[in-house]
Amino acid sequence: MEPSTGPIEAIPPTSPSGPPPAPKPVPTTISGKLRARLPSRGWMIFWATVGTLGGLVTRDHYLTVAAKKRVADKVDVLAKTSCGVQDMPRKVTVYLTAPPGDGIHKTRHYFKQFVKPVFDAAALDYEVREGLSEGQIQAMVAADVRRKRRVAAGKISELTEEEQQKPMVPMKSVSDGIVVLGRIALGEVLQGYNDGCLQSLDDPEPIIVEAKTEESTTQEPASEPSTDSSQTPEASASAPESVEAVTPTPEDTKASTEAKKDTKAEEEKPAPVPIPQDEAYFSVPPTGLEPVGYIPFKNLTGFRNFHKKLFALFNSYDCVEYAGGSVMKVAFAQTKDMEQEDLNLGCDEEPLFQKYRGPVEINILDRVREQVKLFVTPDNIPETKKADDEDEQ
């Protein structure tokens, strides 16, 4: 039987699961064509999240820049005011302290982002002082007030020892105001005013520290290497290596000696003598007490405030308006007498840190409070002329 030479027909494969699936219909409507071009569900979630966060950040940046410009335009008139040849720009002292339960970097960031730009726009000079521990700001303010009182009484010179040795002392700005961030710093400044006005002008007698007799310590003599004949050559060869490894280097010896000297100097350094204070010593510097400018600072900590922190992250322009109004009070330098109700400034901050410390109590004498002034919002804020109006004139 001869084999057939004709074409061989292909036998379609049989599918065990049934007939092959029918091809997908081609979409003909606009919605169908659009749905066919969309990415997968995972990519849709990813791009929606990225787009939402990017939009919130861009929106906050745009509104923050606009808010800073509005505040800067209001104080720009102060920077354009002409100054005399012998006059120095205004200067304020800014006191920063760490919020309870957090680091001082939060206060630094708040000052840099929302306070410093207004000072720069108003051409206002400033000096930043930080209190890294509780009571440090109070001690610094009290020391400044007491020094001014001693200069007025003729007990010390207004110039430092270095300035007295120089043939010519350059002019420098004198602080005419204090700026505090938060109620804790406000309380320490006011308590420092109270202590500085009540402290004695005479230096207290130093405490005599008796010299400590150093006990001689006997050192054990170094053990001589054994010359026992029973010691093997291998052990005798490894002995110098172990001694050489334990012997300290000259650098380590020098570092340990310096550390011991520093520790000994700290131990021998006498403790600071407390300055006696009494109402009989009360006096105020001739220039008076510097006005105080309070800037609210609410630090959100803890998991319960997470939603508030998340909201503040994308709405920082609110802080510009919130803090900018308080900084404008300092820039325009309009003041009022401090009243008893003003001691409660910033009480709304206390619930935020009640977990870490108690409420801030400000106990100062009435005659000290009567000498303190607060910066307030000016009655009339002058407006700067626009560039277009100046060009037309």
Side-chain angles (χ1 to χ4, degrees):
M1 185 175 183
E2 297 180 359
S4 61
T5 59
I8 301 174
E9 297 181 356
I11 302 174
T14 58
S15 171
S17 60
K24 293 183 179 180
V26 179
T28 57
T29 61
I30 297 178
S31 60
K33 293 180 179 180
L34 181 61
R35 191 180 299 109
R37 293 179 178 273
L38 289 177
S40 63
R41 179 173 177 271
W43 279 107
M44 288 287 293
I45 295 175
F46 172 77
W47 288 117
T49 304
V50 172
T52 302
L53 294 178
L56 290 175
V57 171
T58 305
R59 165 186 169 273
D60 179 60
H61 176 73
Y62 175 78
L63 295 177
T64 301
V65 172
K68 287 183 178 181
K69 187 177 185 305
R70 285 196 301 270
V71 177
D73 291 342
K74 294 180 180 180
V75 299
D76 185 56
V77 64
L78 300 175
K80 294 181 179 180
T81 304
S82 59
C83 185
V85 178
Q86 300 295 332
D87 297 337
M88 298 295 292
R90 282 188 61 220
K91 180 181 178 181
V92 294
T93 305
V94 183
Y95 286 98
L96 307 180
T97 185
D102 216 327
I104 198 173
H105 64 280
K106 290 287 189 68
T107 315
R108 293 171 181 165
H109 175 77
Y110 190 84
F111 171 78
K112 183 178 180 181
Q113 292 294 326
F114 308 115
V115 180
K116 182 178 177 294
V118 185
F119 284 167
D120 295 341
L124 185 63
D125 193 8
Y126 58 89
E127 177 185 359
V128 179
R129 296 184 180 181
E130 297 181 352
L132 302 179
S133 59
E134 186 176 357
Q136 190 172 359
I137 293 179
Q138 179 178 345
M140 288 189 290
V141 174
D144 291 343
V145 174
R146 181 173 179 267
R147 181 181 179 279
K148 293 178 182 179
R149 293 170 55 209
R150 297 188 69 191
V151 170
K155 294 185 176 293
I156 59 174
S157 174
E158 186 175 2
L159 302 177
T160 61
E161 296 181 357
E162 297 180 358
E163 293 176 346
Q164 292 177 5
Q165 296 176 359
K166 295 181 180 179
M168 181 179 297
V169 180
M171 296 178 61
K172 57 183 180 180
S173 301
V174 180
S175 176
D176 63 349
I178 288 180
V179 179
V180 295
L181 271 67
R183 177 167 175 79
I184 297 178
L186 174 65
E188 292 200 19
V189 167
L190 295 180
Q191 291 294 151
Y193 276 165
N194 188 78
D195 295 347
C197 293
L198 298 179
Q199 288 178 351
S200 173
L201 298 181
D202 298 327
D203 289 332
E205 297 181 359
I207 299 176
I208 300 176
V209 181
E210 298 180 358
K212 298 181 180 179
T213 58
E214 298 181 357
E215 298 179 358
S216 59
T217 57
T218 58
Q219 299 180 355
E220 297 181 358
S223 58
E224 297 179 358
S226 61
T227 57
D228 191 0
S229 60
S230 61
Q231 188 176 11
T232 59
E234 291 80 1
S236 60
S238 62
E241 295 180 0
S242 61
V243 173
E244 184 178 352
V246 175
T247 304
T249 60
E251 297 178 356
D252 297 340
T253 306
K254 184 178 180 180
S256 61
T257 305
E258 293 179 354
K260 290 180 181 179
K261 289 182 179 179
D262 296 341
T263 307
K264 185 178 180 181
E266 292 180 358
E267 293 178 354
E268 295 180 354
K269 184 178 179 180
V273 183
I275 301 174
Q277 59 182 29
D278 192 81
E279 293 190 20
Y281 302 135
F282 177 82
S283 65
V284 180
T287 56
L289 301 178
E290 299 179 25
V292 178
Y294 166 73
I295 299 176
F297 173 51
K298 296 182 179 180
N299 183 49
L300 301 174
T301 57
F303 183 76
R304 292 184 177 180
N305 294 322
F306 178 76
H307 63 288
K308 295 182 180 179
K309 296 196 300 186
L310 189 63
F311 179 82
L313 179 64
F314 298 109
N315 295 275
S316 59
Y317 66 92
D318 286 342
C319 293
V320 178
E321 301 284 357
Y322 187 61
S326 301
V327 183
M328 284 174 53
K329 300 177 183 179
V330 180
F332 286 101
Q334 185 170 338
T335 60
K336 71 161 189 174
D337 295 334
M338 190 174 194
E339 301 177 357
Q340 187 68 28
E341 296 79 10
D342 295 328
L343 297 178
N344 298 325
L345 282 173
C347 285
D348 54 341
E349 302 176 11
E350 294 181 352
L352 298 177
F353 56 76
Q354 63 181 358
K355 178 181 177 181
Y356 306 99
R357 59 161 295 168
V360 180
E361 298 180 358
I362 304 177
N363 300 318
I364 60 176
L365 298 178
D366 290 339
R367 52 179 176 174
V368 175
R369 175 182 56 79
E370 293 171 356
Q371 300 293 330
V372 181
K373 295 183 180 297
L374 290 177
F375 290 110
V376 295
T377 305
D379 299 332
N380 297 320
I381 300 178
E383 297 181 358
T384 56
K385 296 182 180 179
K386 296 182 180 180
D388 298 338
D389 297 342
E390 294 179 358
D391 293 339
E392 291 177 1
Q393 295 178 359

